[in-house]
Structure formats: C-alpha cells, structure tokens
Amino acid sequence: MAIDRTDPLALAARGLELSGMDYIRAIFSGELPPPPIAELMGFHGVDFEPGRAVFELEPGPEHYNPIGSVHGGVALTLLDSAMGCAVHTLLEAGVRYTTLEVKTNFVRPIAADTGVIRCEGTVIHKGSRIATAEGKLTDAAGRLLAHGTTTCLIM
C-alpha cells in the first residue's frame, strides 16, 4: 500500500497495522517514507534489531544555533528517535508508545566539521505499560558527544 509522503497521519495509521519491527524495517528500507522530522533534519536509520535502533546524520550549518554550534535539539532529537525506535521494535501490531520523559547530557560540542554522527538507542526494560531505553551519540572516531535516557508509555 503506497503512502502519500505528504500525509504523516497516513504513515502513522499504516504503522498501527504492522508490528514495530516490521514498521521500522519498512521505513529503514524505504518501503515506507521516512517521518517528516527525519527529512527536515536530514537524518536516516542505518541499523536496527529487536530492542535497538541506529540513526546517522551529517551536521551542517543549517543545524546551527545563534551561538555558533549545532543546536542541542539536534542531538536530543537523534537520541529521542533512536531510543523511541528501539522501544518501537518490541511492540506488537496496534500498540503505540509515546515519550514520557527524556534526559540528555551533552558531552562535546557538535559542529559542521564534526562529520557523520551516529546515535544508537537500546532498550533497557520493556514492561506492559512502561519501557526505558538509553542512547549514545558518537562521532566517526567513536568519541561520545551526548548520551541520554528515556521513559516511554506503551498504549
């Protein structure tokens, strides 16, 4: 079933018809369009398995804040996406989740010359109503740029 790339609600509705793994697989493979936030910010999924999701982004000047570095919201968005998608891979069809809480620690600045950054999210715990995950954002040399945790409500 083709999804209109301009209708994010159609993408979300299609996601409810699939298990979390199948939904993430379809997006990462290009069978389904990426969510609009990924296109807007320029990140993409590169790897996933049950309880784990990895995204990459090459930061540029368009990601800068007024103080001359990549905005912390870019790192936070990557962490939230990777950790949330890691949780999503463990959900059955028809089950949704939402982020209840996210905490991020910024360790190193990110700049346009940092190169590709990689964010890996991993589930720590999945219960019937609550899931927790952790994420690490690194540069190409493996240096930690930011890390975080999330709590997700399963619905």
Side-chain angles (χ1 to χ4, degrees):
M1 168 177 161
I3 298 291
D4 179 352
R5 294 181 75 82
T6 64
D7 186 358
L9 297 181
L11 177 63
R14 179 68 176 120
L16 288 173
E17 299 170 1
L18 303 170
S19 71
M21 273 298 291
D22 289 342
Y23 187 46
I24 299 299
R25 180 179 292 118
I27 291 172
F28 278 31
S29 72
E31 180 184 333
L32 289 175
I37 188 69
E39 290 186 312
L40 176 69
M41 293 185 64
F43 66 89
H44 60 280
V46 295
D47 194 23
F48 68 97
E49 58 191 51
R52 182 177 165 271
V54 181
F55 289 90
E56 289 184 347
L57 172 132
E58 185 163 1
E62 67 274 16
H63 297 113
Y64 270 52
N65 60 29
I67 61 171
S69 62
V70 170
H71 193 283
V74 172
L76 178 57
T77 299
L78 283 171
L79 284 160
D80 185 48
S81 297
M83 294 183 297
C85 284
V87 168
H88 203 146
T89 64
L90 301 178
L91 302 181
E92 300 296 322
V95 177
R96 299 178 298 159
Y97 78 94
T98 190
T99 301
L100 284 177
E101 180 264 348
V102 65
K103 179 179 185 323
T104 300
N105 292 41
F106 304 105
V107 178
R108 286 187 173 87
I110 302 170
D113 63 358
T114 299
V116 174
I117 57 177
R118 181 181 180 94
C119 189
E120 181 174 344
T122 307
V123 172
I124 298 169
H125 166 79
K126 183 199 166 284
S128 61
R129 300 281 297 165
I130 297 290
T132 58
E134 63 186 358
K136 293 181 181 177
L137 182 63
T138 57
D139 65 13
R143 289 181 297 233
L144 187 65
L145 303 171
H147 60 95
T149 57
T150 191
T151 303
C152 296
L153 174 65
I154 300 171
M155 304 173 286

